[in-house]
Amino acid sequence: MRAASRPYPPIADYALIGDCHSSALVSRAGSIDWCCLPRFDSDSCFGRLLDWKEGGYFAITPRCSARVTREYLAATLILVTTFRSGRDEARLIDFFAMRRGGRLNPRRELVRIIEGMRGRMELEVVFAPRLDFGEVKPWVYRSGPKSHLAVGSNTALRISTDVPLEIVQEHDLRATVHVRAGRRLHIGVESFAAEESQSPGRRELTGARLNAHFHETVRWWRKWAKKITRGGGPGVNVVRSAIALKALTYAPSGAIVAAPTTSLPESVGAERNWDYRYCWIRDSIFTVWALANCGAEAEADGVRRFIQRSAAGNADELQVLYAVDGKRRLTEIAVTHLDGWRGSRPVRIGNAAERQFQSDLYGLIVELSYRWSERGHRPNAPYWAFLCKIIEAALARWQLPDRGIWEVRSRPLHFVNSKVMCWAAVSRGVLLAERYSLPAPLDRWRKARDEMRAAIEARGVDRRRNVFVRSFGGRDVDAALLLLPAVGFVPYDDERMLRTTDVIMRELTQDGLVLRYLGKDGLRGAEGVFLACTFWLAECLARQGRRQLAQTTFDRACACANDVGLFSEQYAPRARQMLGNFPQGLTHLAHLTAELALKDARSAEPADSAGRRLRAARRPTRSRPRG
């Protein structure tokens, strides 16, 4: 693996900036090493994250040894990186420009501002784009007094700046600059189609305009963050996770990408490398639940509508994931010319999970509408017709094995989580029909719901230990079982649920962090602990009244965030390094719901009362399940 010796920074070294259309990752050293324009799922124009030599980058770095600190401006996605060397200090401000009305008409503008704070600091600026995942070195030429164009393939980037950049070998721009206290330098990068590169009327971005866009972007993010009614607190908090989730939203359609990156490995040097720059129905619905619970209801409605449109209003057309515009065909291919992060190959674009059968989706979609109805939103006639098709599909297919929530690439199994979610589709459908007197074959649905429950309780429970299991007839547990109470299949303090939670803590944890499952799944290499599952455990414990244990679990997971409060998908406790695509939406939404559960637990009852409730739940009498 020829990339293994190259200086790939840890995943934790990166911070996210974005505009709800596209995004970029900025390293602690001040280098943009990943950026796809104009959309999350476009080919990369800066891709050093996946190939240190050929991927391309945009760096603004001190030429001296410097201490680095960084933070987001409060309630924004504007990153401020501060470099200090002795008495000299400068800071770098990075953001994508936001504006009112930008949902359909974004600025598509990446802004970098260098500001001298104390003394005098020398920095090097290198603009080295590589288009089409590093395959194309663009032609770079001067296009105005203070601007250059980089054109290649179907992409054009225009860089406007008061930094005196010089062209290097027709493909790169470089400069060395000195900043003193009070001096500001500005760089704006715009993206557009290559054929527009010669369009008249494109004005250069001046320093004054970029400063104005900075203040407009501050106002935009802070106005949005005011929606978050249950945030606050230092460090990793609800507002920071909510902003990260908002940044992963594709504004024109309402879709939410799982992560803005592809092929950051779950196991370094192995094949567990996936493209997450798409909208998973499951992740999006989880995100909606989380955001709606803390005030962001518009995003919930956007996802609901996106799912209905993408499935063409038909359950038979439903698939696991879609492109951010609803496109269905996401053929998975390996990009063989890229090294991969620290030699982790293959680098993949597209995702073969698009065609998997995962029956839990039926329950998630109906559950979304059920929770939406609890906020006073009655399903209209076309949407109810769509939901009825989803429910009938769940009834027709619930007895089939599937790939499950974890999208295993080994043989399908009768996953208990999937069966419960099919049950939830029917159960919530009955409740919706009863609540709003909607037309439905209620007698048939009620009978099927009861039969499904009986089958799950007969085949999905290990009778000897009295715990739920991963799949029918098995004995192993799975972290997805922590989700069973969320859809009303059992109360959180049901004796079987309490015992299942204990077994998960005993058998699936490493250093207090939770693995998804044990055993083979058809892929080579081990994986790290799954941070979303750890937050699920914390939420489950909190809602069971075990507040101290919940807080300990929650704090352990929070300690896996980086210095600006971002989470990856997985974590290697012994190596203390992030793994998987980054930042991971599922982790952030699980963090958000766990934090809200802990707040609810703290306000609901004192700790001694919670302890009495837990002891009562552990008595041999069995709690009566809902539904």
Side-chain angles (χ1 to χ4, degrees):
M1 299 177 185
R2 57 191 174 90
S5 62
R6 301 194 199 283
Y8 287 87
I11 294 170
D13 269 20
Y14 289 97
L16 175 74
I17 56 174
D19 63 355
C20 301
H21 293 261
S22 55
S23 62
L25 295 186
V26 187
S27 76
R28 286 180 60 84
S31 179
I32 294 177
D33 291 341
W34 181 255
C35 182
C36 297
L37 295 171
R39 295 191 341 186
F40 293 109
D41 55 356
S42 299
D43 292 357
S44 66
C45 56
F46 304 115
R48 186 161 69 165
L49 184 70
L50 297 179
D51 193 298
W52 195 258
K53 182 178 179 181
E54 304 295 340
Y57 64 101
F58 181 11
I60 300 176
T61 55
R63 291 180 62 86
C64 59
S65 177
R67 300 188 309 277
V68 180
T69 58
R70 57 185 183 166
E71 62 182 350
Y72 287 109
L73 289 185
T76 77
L77 200 67
I78 298 173
L79 179 69
V80 180
T81 303
T82 301
F83 303 111
R84 296 182 180 90
S85 179
R87 296 182 178 181
D88 302 323
E89 180 179 320
R91 68 176 188 170
L92 175 62
I93 302 170
D94 287 312
F95 62 96
F96 275 87
M98 307 296 289
R99 68 176 172 189
R100 184 178 180 182
R103 185 177 76 85
L104 297 178
N105 186 26
R107 292 195 187 279
R108 302 199 187 284
E109 180 183 298
L110 168 63
V111 181
R112 313 198 76 182
I113 299 174
I114 308 166
E115 184 174 26
M117 303 301 291
R118 292 188 307 165
R120 177 180 181 274
M121 186 170 284
E122 184 179 51
L123 299 103
E124 184 176 37
V125 180
V126 181
F127 179 76
R130 298 293 182 264
L131 309 178
D132 289 7
F133 293 107
E135 283 197 306
V136 177
K137 292 183 177 180
W139 172 34
V140 175
Y141 61 92
R142 184 173 294 278
S143 59
K146 292 188 176 182
S147 64
H148 292 80
L149 273 169
V151 181
S153 185
N154 63 347
T155 302
L157 303 175
R158 187 177 70 166
I159 180 168
S160 301
T161 180
D162 43 23
V163 172
L165 294 170
E166 296 182 357
I167 299 172
V168 179
Q169 296 180 344
E170 295 187 335
H171 303 301
D172 302 342
L173 294 167
R174 292 177 181 264
T176 299
V177 297
H178 302 83
V179 288
R180 296 182 181 275
R183 187 187 181 194
R184 269 194 166 198
L185 298 172
H186 309 80
I187 304 174
V189 179
E190 302 164 279
S191 72
F192 41 89
E195 61 268 22
E196 298 178 39
S197 60
Q198 301 299 328
S199 298
R202 285 192 175 273
R203 295 186 299 161
E204 292 180 330
L205 293 170
T206 64
R209 287 182 65 194
L210 293 174
N211 277 329
H213 294 173
F214 165 77
H215 292 294
E216 187 176 12
T217 300
V218 171
R219 290 192 298 271
W220 191 96
W221 278 111
R222 288 181 175 167
K223 180 180 179 181
W224 185 85
K226 285 181 179 178
K227 293 182 179 182
I228 309 306
T229 57
R230 302 177 67 181
V236 181
N237 58 59
V238 166
V239 172
R240 181 51 51 204
S241 274
I243 287 175
L245 291 170
K246 176 62 176 176
L248 300 181
T249 302
Y250 182 64
S253 68
I256 300 173
V257 298
T261 56
T262 179
S263 300
L264 290 179
E266 299 172 6
S267 178
V268 179
E271 64 177 332
R272 296 172 179 269
N273 317 315
W274 317 112
D275 192 349
Y276 275 17
R277 300 170 303 142
Y278 306 113
C279 178
W280 268 256
I281 297 300
R282 179 187 302 106
D283 289 18
S284 296
I285 290 173
F286 286 160
T287 302
V288 162
W289 296 351
L291 289 178
N293 282 340
C294 56
E297 289 200 359
E299 287 70 21
D301 194 39
V303 168
R304 185 180 66 84
R305 293 175 185 274
F306 173 79
I307 294 169
Q308 185 182 23
R309 288 195 309 270
S310 299
N314 190 332
D316 292 334
E317 300 299 324
L318 184 69
Q319 66 182 42
V320 175
L321 66 150
Y322 299 90
V324 293
D325 60 357
K327 180 182 175 181
R328 306 174 64 82
R329 189 173 294 110
L330 305 174
T331 305
E332 182 177 292
I333 63 172
V335 185
T336 57
H337 66 274
L338 295 177
D339 280 342
W341 184 80
R342 296 190 176 177
S344 300
R345 291 179 170 178
V347 170
R348 292 182 169 97
I349 57 174
N351 198 300
E354 58 163 326
R355 295 301 178 188
Q356 284 189 355
F357 173 54
Q358 299 173 21
S359 60
D360 65 310
L361 296 183
Y362 302 133
L364 288 166
I365 291 171
V366 183
E367 178 73 12
L368 172 62
S369 289
Y370 176 76
R371 295 195 185 195
W372 191 238
S373 76
E374 289 190 315
R375 295 177 177 275
H377 303 283
R378 173 192 174 111
N380 60 27
Y383 199 71
W384 176 244
F386 172 62
L387 292 178
C388 286
K389 293 175 185 176
I390 294 290
I391 294 165
E392 292 296 339
L395 286 171
R397 300 171 187 169
W398 78 272
Q399 297 186 68
L400 299 176
D402 75 331
R403 302 286 181 175
I405 186 174
W406 305 126
E407 301 178 350
V408 298
R409 299 203 174 193
S410 54
R411 66 184 178 87
L413 294 172
H414 292 277
F415 291 107
V416 169
N417 174 262
S418 297
K419 305 301 183 187
V420 168
M421 293 311 298
C422 286
W423 172 90
V426 185
S427 177
R428 296 312 201 198
V430 168
L431 293 174
L432 281 169
E434 290 173 342
R435 176 177 292 172
Y436 295 110
S437 300
L438 298 168
L442 282 176
D443 289 342
R444 179 164 61 84
W445 284 4
R446 292 188 186 109
K447 180 181 178 183
R449 175 198 61 190
D450 295 342
E451 290 173 349
M452 294 163 78
R453 173 179 283 282
I456 294 165
E457 293 184 332
R459 301 180 62 193
V461 176
D462 178 350
R463 294 294 179 186
R464 187 175 66 82
R465 296 189 295 174
N466 200 25
V467 300
F468 291 103
V469 291
R470 185 186 187 205
S471 61
F472 277 4
R475 287 182 51 80
D476 293 338
V477 292
D478 178 338
L481 298 171
L482 295 166
L483 300 174
L484 301 191
V487 293
F489 187 75
V490 289
Y492 280 96
D493 60 0
D494 178 276
E495 182 186 359
R496 295 163 300 176
M497 198 63 225
L498 288 164
R499 291 181 181 275
T500 301
T501 306
D502 289 342
V503 172
I504 288 171
M505 285 191 290
R506 186 166 60 248
E507 297 182 2
L508 292 185
T509 57
Q510 292 181 359
D511 295 337
L513 303 168
V514 180
L515 294 162
R516 296 188 293 180
Y517 49 81
L518 298 175
K520 297 180 179 179
D521 57 7
L523 295 167
R524 291 183 292 107
E527 64 176 18
V529 296
F530 211 75
L531 295 177
C533 295
T534 308
F535 284 122
W536 292 349
L537 175 60
E539 179 182 5
C540 200
L541 290 167
R543 298 197 186 282
Q544 289 171 349
R546 297 193 266 184
R547 282 176 18 209
Q548 187 56 54
L549 190 53
Q551 189 68 55
T552 300
T553 303
F554 179 81
D555 292 344
R556 181 68 186 93
C558 285
C560 299
N562 70 0
D563 57 319
V564 289
L566 297 177
F567 293 102
S568 60
E569 179 182 39
Q570 299 183 22
Y571 192 81
R574 292 176 185 173
R576 295 185 178 181
Q577 69 174 0
M578 291 183 169
L579 295 170
N581 285 304
F582 172 86
Q584 173 74 7
L586 185 63
T587 310
H588 277 279
L589 67 93
H591 160 259
L592 196 156
T593 56
E595 185 164 339
L596 296 180
L598 280 164
K599 288 186 177 185
D600 290 342
R602 285 192 291 268
S603 62
E605 54 188 20
D608 58 343
S609 173
R612 288 195 298 272
R613 181 165 170 260
L614 174 59
R615 289 191 292 273
R618 286 189 175 279
R619 292 171 188 159
T621 55
R622 183 162 146 187
S623 301
R624 182 176 179 82
R626 289 176 283 174

